[in-house]
Amino acid sequence: MILRDCRLVYVAPRSGVGGVGDYADDFADAVRPHFAEVIEYRHEGPGSLSARDILRHRNAIQELVDADPGRVIVHCELSGGSVMPFWATARLTGDPVMTATVHDPPGLVWWPARTKFLAGKKVLNHGLHYPLRSAWRALERRIAGTRTLFALTRSGADSLARAYPDATAKASALFVPARPDIEPAEERPLAVGLFGLVYRGKGFDQIQQLRDSLPRDIAIRIAGRGTELLDPVDGVEILGEVNGPDEDAFFGSIRALVLPYGKRSIYGDAFPASSVVTRAIAYQTPVTCLKVGALAESDSGALVVDGGVAELADATADLITDPIALGKLRREVEALRISHTAELVVEDFVSVWAAQ
């Protein structure tokens, strides 16, 4: 398939809707030069649409396919709550090439029935999905069919291959966003940071234990959307959401980013890529993390610790007080920063589409 003659219909959350929406901005910009036309079909976030809304979106996407049959590729972003693209791109007529990036593998969408009605009814939502998870996974396999499914980690692609044997699973990576050069990590203040959107499993509930486990001369700074709502902890600086120069300053004030992530779901193991890790890479900042999910494969630019928060704190303290070890890890991060630009990573997708 000659992509320069083709149209890409790109179904993704609108800009600012979580990490996937932000990722979609970079993805659309990176693939646009490869196509005759890229139509961005953006939608609201999880839990905001009714069944009628989803049907309306499906009809609109079908019209985009019908406008240029035979020369169209439909690619969508699927995450744990992406009910709309999951249903709206199912069984499109006209036989378009269909691919998807799965952000929370092995599930395409962990709660396929979580429309606007169920979004505000936590008990009912889990009562409908958890006991029937084998049946829902069978439905996901049927919807996936023979599509090509991209994961943004190697372990994620392996999990997709096991869960969807009729589909083709491909491993890619998250883009590293463009950020300015800052001081080498070993020359920054003696501090570590936590960063990102606050939600269950991201380790923000471990702040007190982390503070108790680290030497008091090592500062802890926390930044990200929602962190301003966290309970204060003595000896921890909480900055809230940071952007632009404030984000630059945050990463310039820490020697390593700590990820005390835990298991995120009662529904089983998931293998998502971490946009927090790529942000650290963008700022040439080493990462220390627990051996959880896809973080276990962070074998370059990261110190992966087998154990709990106390073990993570000990390993982090040893790292950031050893300029030789920290410098070595920082140079690995800088190599990843060069090799994982959007322009280079998107070739994983372009090569698959061109082969259709």
Side-chain angles (χ1 to χ4, degrees):
M1 181 177 287
I2 301 175
L3 299 187
R4 293 278 187 181
D5 295 334
C6 293
R7 161 190 286 187
L8 176 70
V9 176
Y10 181 44
V11 184
R14 65 174 176 79
S15 180
V17 175
V20 180
D22 295 339
Y23 166 87
D25 295 341
D26 293 334
F27 186 86
D29 288 342
V31 299
R32 188 168 286 110
H34 297 275
F35 286 91
E37 182 181 18
V38 173
I39 298 176
E40 296 183 49
Y41 193 92
R42 298 298 193 100
H43 57 84
E44 296 300 314
S48 61
L49 300 173
S50 67
R52 179 174 295 180
D53 293 331
I54 293 170
L55 179 60
R56 174 173 51 83
H57 284 300
R58 174 185 168 76
N59 291 338
I61 294 169
Q62 184 66 65
E63 287 181 6
L64 292 174
V65 172
D66 293 341
D68 198 7
R71 293 197 312 123
V72 65
I73 295 170
V74 178
H75 182 77
C76 60
E77 304 294 341
L78 295 175
S79 60
S82 56
V83 174
M84 191 288 280
F86 174 74
W87 290 110
T89 63
R91 309 301 183 197
L92 292 173
T93 61
D95 197 28
V97 173
M98 298 279 294
T99 61
T101 300
V102 182
H103 288 264
D104 295 302
L108 302 187
V109 52
W110 289 80
W111 302 318
R114 188 176 178 267
T115 59
K116 188 176 183 179
F117 173 75
L118 279 181
K121 299 174 175 61
K122 186 175 181 179
V123 173
L124 183 58
N125 178 62
H126 288 298
L128 178 62
H129 287 100
Y130 187 76
L132 301 174
R133 54 195 184 278
S134 295
W136 288 118
R137 181 54 53 81
L139 172 67
E140 287 181 295
R141 281 195 293 270
R142 184 174 179 183
I143 296 296
T146 59
R147 293 189 201 187
T148 295
L149 303 175
F150 294 91
L152 301 179
T153 63
R154 295 189 303 274
S155 54
D158 291 342
S159 74
L160 289 175
R162 293 190 297 268
Y164 308 98
D166 293 336
T168 299
K170 296 285 186 178
S172 187
L174 270 180
F175 310 139
V176 173
R179 291 294 187 272
D181 293 334
I182 58 177
E183 277 190 312
E186 57 270 31
E187 298 177 13
R188 300 177 202 167
L190 188 61
V192 298
L194 280 76
F195 178 79
L197 175 66
V198 176
Y199 59 87
R200 182 183 176 192
K202 292 296 287 290
F204 291 104
D205 56 335
Q206 306 290 338
I207 296 171
Q208 183 66 66
Q209 186 180 356
L210 186 65
R211 179 65 282 172
D212 293 341
S213 301
L214 280 171
R216 298 299 293 190
D217 61 335
I218 297 177
I220 300 177
R221 298 188 172 96
I222 298 176
R225 197 178 308 164
T227 59
E228 66 277 3
L229 302 176
L230 295 171
D231 293 334
V233 175
D234 183 46
V236 175
E237 183 181 4
I238 299 177
L239 301 173
E241 185 173 4
V242 291
N243 295 293
D246 291 335
E247 185 184 61
D248 303 344
F250 167 73
F251 280 96
S253 72
I254 62 173
R255 293 188 180 184
L257 194 69
V258 184
L259 278 65
Y261 289 6
K263 265 193 169 179
R264 298 199 311 164
S265 174
I266 62 172
Y267 288 80
D269 291 335
F271 302 92
S274 173
S275 59
V276 172
V277 171
T278 60
R279 195 64 58 88
I281 293 170
Y283 282 106
Q284 312 106 64
T285 302
V287 169
T288 65
C289 60
L290 292 174
K291 195 174 183 180
V292 174
L295 294 178
E297 70 183 48
S298 298
D299 53 3
S300 182
L303 176 64
V304 181
V305 178
D306 195 359
V309 174
E311 290 78 12
L312 179 62
D314 289 344
T316 300
D318 290 343
L319 173 69
I320 69 170
T321 56
D322 182 342
I324 294 176
L326 187 60
K328 179 178 182 295
L329 203 58
R330 186 255 304 166
R331 288 188 288 275
E332 292 180 8
V333 169
E334 291 174 345
L336 288 172
R337 185 189 187 208
I338 294 169
S339 64
H340 284 66
T341 64
E343 293 75 17
L344 292 175
V345 172
V346 80
E347 290 294 335
D348 295 338
F349 298 81
V350 170
S351 62
V352 169
W353 291 330
Q356 300 297 314

